[in-house]
Amino acid sequence: MQTDLDSTKAPETIPDRRRHPRYRFSIPITIHSVDGGVMRGISIEISGSGISAITADSLKVNDTVELEPILASKVQALVRHNIGRVYGFEFLNLTVEQAQRISDRCKCLPRYQGTSLGI
């Protein structure tokens, strides 16, 4: 039996607060930590302002790292958050050329539609 309350329920969605849309992007990357450590990872998605990746090693939120290769170059990034071994990185100090390469590549990638990685 359906009640009036059932028919008026709004779907539960969480608004996406990101500055740029995210796109599927999976490549092996190298992460250089501030203490000189080098670790391997694999990216999950990318946007004009950052990238997410999985790594078996631990990173600290708010640390600055260097990621490579991000579209044929090294980029500085800030570790913004993590869930388990999934880390979100915000790009820092991108050159105009790097920002343009990322933007151009995103136009060719499938859009990530979810609000979480579901991992």
Side-chain angles (χ1 to χ4, degrees), residues 14-104:
I14 300 169
D16 192 352
R17 299 174 295 164
R18 290 173 176 80
R19 292 177 286 171
H20 298 98
R22 296 177 294 165
Y23 298 89
R24 295 277 181 200
F25 184 68
S26 182
I27 62 165
I29 62 172
T30 301
I31 304 162
H32 300 270
S33 66
V34 71
D35 65 5
V38 177
M39 59 193 79
R40 302 280 183 207
I42 188 158
S43 67
I44 301 168
E45 55 198 11
I46 192 169
S47 76
S49 57
I51 193 166
S52 63
I54 299 171
T55 183
D57 299 305
S58 294
L59 295 165
K60 292 181 183 174
V61 172
N62 295 321
D63 273 358
T64 300
V65 297
E66 191 172 66
L67 308 173
E68 69 172 324
I70 304 301
L71 303 175
S73 66
K74 290 182 181 181
V75 298
Q76 273 194 324
L78 182 67
V79 181
R80 296 294 285 168
H81 62 84
N82 82 290
I83 299 172
R85 294 294 178 202
V86 178
Y87 290 87
F89 300 93
E90 179 180 3
F91 296 138
L92 301 174
N93 308 316
L94 289 178
T95 66
V96 172
E97 294 82 16
Q98 288 171 321
Q100 187 61 53
R101 274 196 304 254
I102 292 168
S103 176
D104 290 346

Side-chain angles (χ1 to χ4, degrees), residues 1-10:
M1 179 170 122
Q2 185 174 6
T3 68
D4 287 336
L5 290 176
D6 291 337
S7 62
T8 60
K9 274 188 184 176

Side-chain angles (χ1 to χ4, degrees), residues 96-115:
V96 172
E97 294 82 16
Q98 288 171 321
Q100 187 61 53
R101 274 196 304 254
I102 292 168
S103 176
D104 290 346
R105 183 63 184 265
C106 285
K107 293 175 187 174
C108 301
L109 297 170
R111 183 94 184 260
Y112 179 75
Q113 298 294 331
T115 56

